[in-house]
Amino acid sequence: MQTDVLIVGGAAIGSAAAFFLASQPDFKGKIHVLEQDFSYEKSATALSAASIRHQFSTPENIKLSQFGSDFLQNIEHYLAVNGEVPVVNFKERGYLFLATPDGLSTLQSNHVIQKIENVDVSLLTPTQLSSRYSWLNVDDLSAASIGNRGEGWLDAYGLLQGFRRKAVSLGVNYIQARVEKLQRSGRRIISAELTDGTRISFDKVINATGVGASALAKTAQIELPVEARKRTIFYFTSSATLENCPMVIDPSGAYFRPEGEGYICGIAPRAEDDVECDDFMIQHHLFEEVLWPLLAARVPGFEALRLKSSWAGHYDMNTLDQNVILGAHPDIDNLLFANGFSGHGLQHSPAIGRALSELVTYCEFRTLELGALGWRRVINNCPYLEANII
Ligand SMILES: Cc1cc2nc3c(=O)[nH]c(=O)nc-3n(C[C@H](O)[C@H](O)[C@H](O)COP(=O)(O)OP(=O)(O)OC[C@H]3O[C@@H](n4cnc5c(N)ncnc54)[C@H](O)[C@@H]3O)c2cc1C
């Protein structure tokens, strides 16, 4: 079998790339997406907290998210098929980053960058916080940062299916199959081998396999510093009424936000426990021992709550600097990477899909300059750090 562009992995990133590439007026080739599991039940996309923020510390991450919000707000323009608009339920609501005296200077320096990048964000004093959010304990806080526009949350599965349906309507072929290896010859990948031994040749190939990305890269003799790191999300209800509740990011790293009739919350495990891992077992102790006490200290109304459900998924963690590794490796001309999102890939999927379509079509970025997120920093071991990781 032969195609022009093969996309391996058909969740948010692979399907966004397929959609944008199929929409590029200057791209005329065939596109195939190979996805090992059409249920997507283990994909990070389907298991995501599905939230979007502009409050990052690097201009690239901010701009990627700004396009993400714009995309969600104009989704019918991009993804309607025969007048049918995908249901993504984008709920626009800010992120509230809380800072103790220790975190104040980081909050302020992030704020400076965000303002330069036209993020609609405000710093709040503890007094302002109390008057906006009477349910919040501000005793230990020095300040907070709230996003006024563009941030919020959505239905990740709805977005994925929206990308996919539109891509199919534009002629993209989806096949349920797993790529076991890439065959490399010098500076090119010449084919992909599927589990049943079938080989597919192509002009260009995109690695959009999430936590599977480093295993696939290894078959082409490329070391990709991306590991699967488990994150558990807990859903609970509470009789407390939290008016106008944003996505709250506690100084401890714990987060919570409204979801349906209740709230979801989570926290990263301690660094020493945060190891490579591919099981989906719930980290129950995190809720009982870590999260609940933190939540109850921050919102006294959460002292009484009812844990209803939980699920675990995996970040594709870039162990160098927690930012995506985007584009071609300098040793291989026709293999493009978009891996290592480290927990912020869903919100960036529209902009990354567009960027990949430009790299395929023009061999350069056309709308957003994202060279800082390329392989060069990885090879030179020069992390491009994002200070605002949740
Ligand atoms: C608990 C949790 C919370 C998160 N919260 C947020 C959030 O609030 N906001 C945000 O922006 N991001 C969040 N993320 C991150 C976000 O979900 C991911 O960055 C994003 O979904 C990555 O999309 P992807 O398409 O690269 O990877 P995935 O969604 O993992 O998709 C990869 C796909 O590739 C397929 N695949 C893998 N290997 C192969 C192969 N060899 N052959 C064929 N197919 C293959 C898989 O089946 C899978 O469908 C969260 C992630 C988790 C786990």
Side-chain angles (χ1 to χ4, degrees):
M1 196 183 137
Q2 201 278 331
T3 188
D4 294 301
V5 175
L6 182 72
I7 300 173
V8 190
I13 296 298
S15 293
F19 155 67
F20 275 102
L21 187 55
S23 311
Q24 276 282 356
D26 292 336
F27 177 80
K28 308 285 181 217
K30 278 185 293 181
I31 306 165
H32 281 76
V33 177
L34 295 187
E35 165 55 52
Q36 67 187 0
D37 178 11
F38 279 178
S39 80
Y40 294 103
E41 66 174 352
K42 293 180 175 164
S43 69
T45 299
L47 298 167
S48 169
S51 308
I52 175 165
R53 60 183 161 118
H54 296 182
Q55 295 178 70
F56 283 97
S57 70
T58 61
E60 285 79 5
N61 281 334
I62 293 171
K63 288 177 180 146
L64 290 169
S65 283
Q66 284 170 328
F67 180 67
S69 304
D70 184 64
F71 184 91
L72 292 168
Q73 280 156 341
N74 296 287
I75 197 147
E76 67 284 356
H77 164 72
Y78 292 101
L79 296 186
V81 178
N82 297 327
E84 226 179 278
V85 182
V87 180
V88 298
N89 292 326
F90 178 43
K91 186 168 180 52
E92 196 173 354
R93 189 77 75 84
Y95 273 60
L96 180 68
F97 282 87
L98 306 177
T100 56
D102 281 353
L104 184 60
S105 65
T106 306
L107 191 84
Q108 287 168 333
S109 57
N110 289 347
H111 184 76
V112 170
I113 297 165
Q114 289 156 9
K115 281 298 196 188
I116 292 170
E117 298 302 333
N118 295 318
V119 178
D120 190 346
V121 69
S122 306
L123 292 181
L124 303 176
T125 62
T127 312
Q128 289 168 318
L129 268 174
S130 287
S131 72
R132 271 201 197 200
Y133 310 111
S134 57
W135 39 265
L136 194 73
N137 174 10
V138 302
D139 288 353
D140 56 337
L141 301 178
S142 291
S145 170
I146 179 78
N148 301 316
R149 243 172 355 109
E151 300 187 325
W153 46 89
L154 63 139
D155 177 346
Y157 189 74
L159 178 63
L160 153 59
Q161 288 298 344
F163 278 133
R164 182 176 158 148
R165 208 165 299 130
K166 183 71 182 192
V168 169
S169 78
L170 295 170
V172 173
N173 302 285
Y174 274 73
I175 299 173
Q176 181 159 306
R178 176 177 165 78
V179 173
E180 295 295 343
K181 50 181 160 185
L182 299 172
Q183 271 97 23
R184 175 175 170 184
S185 173
R187 294 189 56 83
R188 288 188 71 77
I189 305 295
I190 50 172
S191 64
E193 188 177 314
L194 312 190
T195 310
D196 66 3
T198 304
R199 286 191 178 194
I200 303 183
S201 57
F202 38 75
D203 182 36
K204 291 185 176 148
V205 57
I206 296 176
N207 183 351
T209 56
V211 296
S214 35
L216 191 64
K218 205 169 208 151
T219 67
Q221 298 88 55
I222 298 291
E223 287 296 327
L224 180 69
V226 170
E227 292 181 0
R229 299 285 176 86
K230 189 159 67 178
R231 293 291 180 270
T232 303
I233 297 181
F234 301 91
Y235 173 69
F236 64 92
T237 55
S238 163
S239 54
T241 308
L242 274 51
E243 242 171 77
N244 204 17
C245 180
M247 163 70 108
V248 179
I249 315 295
D250 192 70
S252 61
Y255 69 83
F256 65 90
R257 69 158 172 83
E259 175 70 34
E261 303 290 297
Y263 303 86
I264 59 168
C265 67
I267 190 168
R270 291 181 310 178
E272 58 271 36
D273 300 332
D274 194 15
V275 291
E276 190 157 27
C277 156
D278 59 7
D279 70 63
F280 288 81
M281 272 154 40
I282 308 294
Q283 296 154 308
H284 289 289
H285 67 282
L286 279 182
F287 188 79
E288 294 297 330
E289 294 162 23
V290 185
L291 269 167
W292 193 356
L294 288 169
L295 294 177
R298 184 58 59 207
V299 180
F302 282 164
E303 262 159 34
L305 54 75
R306 186 177 288 245
L307 181 61
K308 293 279 189 173
S309 61
S310 45
W311 70 91
H314 299 92
Y315 280 10
D316 56 337
M317 185 69 87
N318 170 354
T319 54
L320 178 74
D321 60 13
Q322 285 116 57
N323 275 320
V324 63
I325 300 169
L326 181 64
H329 187 283
D331 293 345
I332 304 186
D333 298 325
N334 67 336
L335 167 59
L336 299 175
F337 293 81
N339 313 111
F341 288 97
S342 312
H344 44 274
L346 184 79
Q347 61 200 285
H348 290 169
S349 59
I352 293 291
R354 185 179 65 174
L356 287 166
S357 79
E358 293 167 359
L359 289 177
V360 169
T361 310
Y362 307 110
C363 296
E364 65 180 19
F365 297 116
R366 288 279 170 103
T367 45
L368 278 183
E369 175 44 52
L370 298 171
L373 298 174
W375 269 96
R376 201 51 73 190
R377 76 194 201 272
V378 179
I379 287 161
N380 295 337
N381 199 25
C382 289
Y384 186 49
L385 286 170
E386 170 54 58
N388 244 2
I389 288 292
I390 299 170

